[in-house]
Amino acid sequence: MKTILMVVGSFREKSLNRQLAHGIERRIGDRATVRYLAYQDLPPMNQDLEHADGTEDPVVARVRAEVAAADGLWIVSPEYNSSYPGHVKNLIDWLSRPIIPMDYKTPLPIHGMPVAISAAGGGRKGAGMAEKLTELLRFVRFAEPTQPSCLMGYGAEAMKTNVLTISPEVEELIGAQVEAFLSAIGA
Ligand SMILES: Cc1cc2nc3c(=O)[nH]c(=O)nc-3n(C[C@H](O)[C@H](O)[C@H](O)COP(=O)(O)O)c2cc1C
């Protein structure tokens, strides 16, 4: 069974993006194993923490191991100021670093790794986030994010209720993205 690692770009308890991730997980059903990456405790990138005393920060080590064990990463993220949240950048920065000091030749687990981007956003449905995240993922050499991407508007009501409603149209988009991603990871 292939494993998909969900990265929710919001740490908010009632996150609409986490609800979207759960909707995607429901659609995946039993066709792949879905895990959620816990990365709230990841330290801000600091090169002094890399390979300090030959040992790695334990959270960095766990996060790297979880990513390495996955067949693909699915990032479901809000848009912050027309881009991705800073903690998503911090995660990608850590994942982009060599595991052996100064070794820039050995391929990293993220190189060529299938990746998908989804969003529950405001008026622009997270399009600014998706565009900039695609650029970042390309730079650090993930595979090209699968298309189509489910970028949905959460609507004014969800801002008050914190309940995400997935319309039949969005469900269809999720279905198309799930098919593309399962095919990309060979599930
Ligand atoms: C710092 C910050 C910047 C934001 N910038 C944008 C933005 O540029 N575009 C947008 O649609 N929503 C923006 N929002 C609103 C978020 O999309 C909204 O709060 C959303 O519900 C967050 O996702 P979550 O429910 O998964 O936490 C911003 C929110 C924050 C906290």
Side-chain angles (χ1 to χ4, degrees):
M1 181 79 89
K2 300 284 182 175
T3 299
I4 297 170
L5 192 60
M6 286 282 182
V7 174
V8 177
S10 169
F11 297 149
R12 207 163 69 85
E13 197 188 329
K14 293 180 177 168
S15 163
L16 299 168
N17 282 278
R18 184 169 294 103
Q19 293 173 52
L20 176 57
H22 290 153
I24 294 165
E25 181 187 3
R26 277 194 297 277
R27 187 68 181 229
I28 292 166
D30 59 5
R31 297 171 69 195
T33 301
V34 175
R35 297 194 203 289
Y36 287 78
L37 183 67
Y39 66 105
Q40 291 93 321
D41 298 337
L42 200 58
M45 169 48 72
N46 175 350
Q47 287 182 271
D48 288 344
L49 296 180
E50 284 189 300
H51 323 296
D53 305 326
T55 57
E56 209 178 10
D57 176 276
V59 180
V60 173
R62 175 185 56 74
V63 164
R64 275 193 173 138
E66 286 189 45
V67 171
D71 296 289
L73 221 64
W74 197 318
I75 303 174
V76 187
S77 179
E79 176 168 295
Y80 284 178
N81 295 319
S82 193
S83 187
Y84 38 75
H87 45 261
V88 172
K89 176 70 159 56
N90 187 50
L91 168 67
I92 303 296
D93 284 345
W94 274 112
L95 296 176
S96 73
R97 299 294 292 166
I99 293 160
I100 303 161
M102 305 303 286
D103 171 14
Y104 295 99
K105 287 204 178 117
T106 306
L108 294 171
I110 62 169
H111 292 164
M113 179 177 261
V115 64
I117 300 172
S118 301
R124 290 194 62 221
K125 305 181 180 180
M129 177 283 296
E131 191 186 308
K132 279 149 197 150
L133 185 57
T134 298
E135 200 178 292
L136 173 67
L137 296 173
R138 264 187 205 136
F139 187 82
V140 299
R141 295 159 55 193
F142 271 89
E144 190 65 17
T146 50
Q147 291 296 332
S149 271
C150 174
L151 304 179
M152 66 169 290
Y154 42 62
E157 196 55 26
M159 287 302 282
K160 291 186 222 138
T161 61
N162 275 312
V163 175
L164 186 74
T165 304
I166 296 178
S167 68
E169 293 76 29
V170 170
E171 189 62 52
E172 208 171 300
L173 205 47
I174 291 173
Q177 190 172 13
V178 164
E179 291 311 321
F181 197 62
L182 289 176
S183 161
I185 65 170

